[in-house]
Amino acid sequence: MFFIKLEPNDDILESLIKAITENSIRTGFFTAIGAIKTPNLGYYLLDQKKYKTITIEGNFEIVSCSGNVTLKDGTPMIHAHLVVSDQKGRAFGGHLLADNKISVTGEIFLVEAGAPLIRTLDDQFQLSLINLD
Amino acid sequence: MFFIKLEPNDDILESLIKAITENSIRTGFFTAIGAIKTPNLGYYLLDQKKYKTITIEGNFEIVSCSGNVTLKDGTPMIHAHLVVSDQKGRAFGGHLLADNKISVTGEIFLVEAGAPLIRTLDDQFQLSLINLD
Amino acid sequence: MFFIKLEPNDDILESLIKAITENSIRTGFFTAIGAIKTPNLGYYLLDQKKYKTITIEGNFEIVSCSGNVTLKDGTPMIHAHLVVSDQKGRAFGGHLLADNKISVTGEIFLVEAGAPLIRTLDDQFQLSLINLD
């Protein structure tokens, strides 16, 4: 099990990839809590086969962030979803896209798996999905 | 630790029970992310002692899904809650009922526990609750 | 791994601290689901360096609750965030404050970490943050 701490202004995905690479983690899952500024949340458009970016201004609690580490072309890849909440307690969620920055702190617990999981491009969705074949 | 992958049109509860049975898992917890179509979310009505079904049309991200495996009358039972989000990023949540189907993918990490946990019918709530007696 | 069950009217933070103390757990992470009455959700006000309390009347599902155990001045401390949902499926979230009581049940799975993590007061935010120095 690994603990990863994120600092103010850290980019979540970049910091995760850095920590995973430094610790030679290839596969596992993680859960995180913390706080974020102006989250960029992804929503996958099935008809267009791509993510739409939903940007919400302001400071938010990260009330849930869970995801996994897998290998794509031999390189660690993060797939994570998050739920954030505003000062009225309203919750918003989506896919963790690039360009999401910590405001106060990020506290991540990652559990490493034994056997690596591999992602390959899925033709139907044009997404990198876990391939168990 | 087990990884379970769900495919488009897979029923979440059915697929989980199948994977758990195949791997002889009796107790543990899991977290999952993915995407779902027209979720059926449960809300427990305390006064009526039963679940109400909240159905929301459309495609949603599964931004959080966490739950556990226990034994009820010797058979594995799933208790899970989920949070989903729509194309405006709005989050909705509830108890994972039957009849919830994956749209794109479901990625589940399950951690097995050593000692089995048992559920029995609780008279007060008419629910199968974990019984530590 | 530990399982902690919460009963109706149990205070979530108090019960967690009691179970952690009884089991001599110093560091780890947990995920939980269950049901709660009239949640008190925290939102950290960056400009005032303190939490605002958001109270929402009624009975709610706990659709996600994740957090960690660390040591502050040698004593276990809980940091957790939760997401709750109402009878229309709407989700709300925030920091788990004191005075949050279970309505039906609380099912918590906690994974203990090997090395303890320590919190110290952070001057910038006036919060007890994990200190890796």
Side-chain angles (χ1 to χ4, degrees), chain A residues 64-77:
Chain A
S64 167
C65 177
S66 55
N68 54 61
V69 183
T70 51
L71 291 181
K72 170 86 187 295
D73 299 330
T75 304
M77 180 177 159

Side-chain angles (χ1 to χ4, degrees), chain B residues 76-126:
Chain B
M77 179 178 161
I78 304 287
H79 181 206
H81 285 187
L82 75 165
V83 185
V84 300
S85 65
D86 70 8
Q87 59 188 303
K88 290 185 177 174
R90 293 173 299 199
F92 303 87
H95 177 90
L96 179 64
L97 295 168
D99 198 16
N100 271 300
K101 291 194 165 42
I102 292 295
S103 56
V104 179
T105 192
E107 299 174 355
I108 302 166
F109 284 79
L110 186 149
V111 179
E112 197 176 15
L117 291 168
I118 310 294
R119 287 185 188 272
T120 56
L121 186 66
D122 177 272
D123 285 336
Q124 185 188 351
F125 297 111
Q126 292 297 306

Side-chain angles (χ1 to χ4, degrees), chain A residues 19-59:
Chain A
I20 285 158
T21 305
E22 282 172 2
N23 290 287
S24 304
I25 299 163
R26 296 184 302 171
T27 293
F29 76 93
F30 59 88
T31 74
I33 55 174
I36 190 174
K37 48 184 153 187
T38 308
N40 288 309
L41 307 170
Y43 174 85
Y44 183 74
L45 297 162
L46 266 168
D47 53 350
Q48 297 183 39
K49 297 187 181 183
K50 64 175 190 184
Y51 282 101
K52 167 190 173 184
T53 302
I54 302 153
T55 303
I56 319 180
E57 296 285 334
N59 291 305

Side-chain angles (χ1 to χ4, degrees), chain A residues 105-131:
Chain A
T105 192
E107 299 173 356
I108 302 165
F109 284 79
L110 185 148
V111 179
E112 197 176 13
L117 292 167
I118 309 293
R119 286 185 189 273
T120 54
L121 185 67
D122 177 271
D123 285 335
Q124 185 188 350
F125 297 111
Q126 291 298 306
L127 289 170
S128 294
L129 300 183
I130 293 173
N131 187 338

Side-chain angles (χ1 to χ4, degrees), chain B residues 6-20:
Chain B
L6 305 187
E7 303 292 340
N9 297 311
D10 277 357
D11 183 277
I12 300 176
L13 274 179
E14 278 179 14
S15 303
L16 266 166
I17 287 291
K18 185 165 173 283
I20 285 158

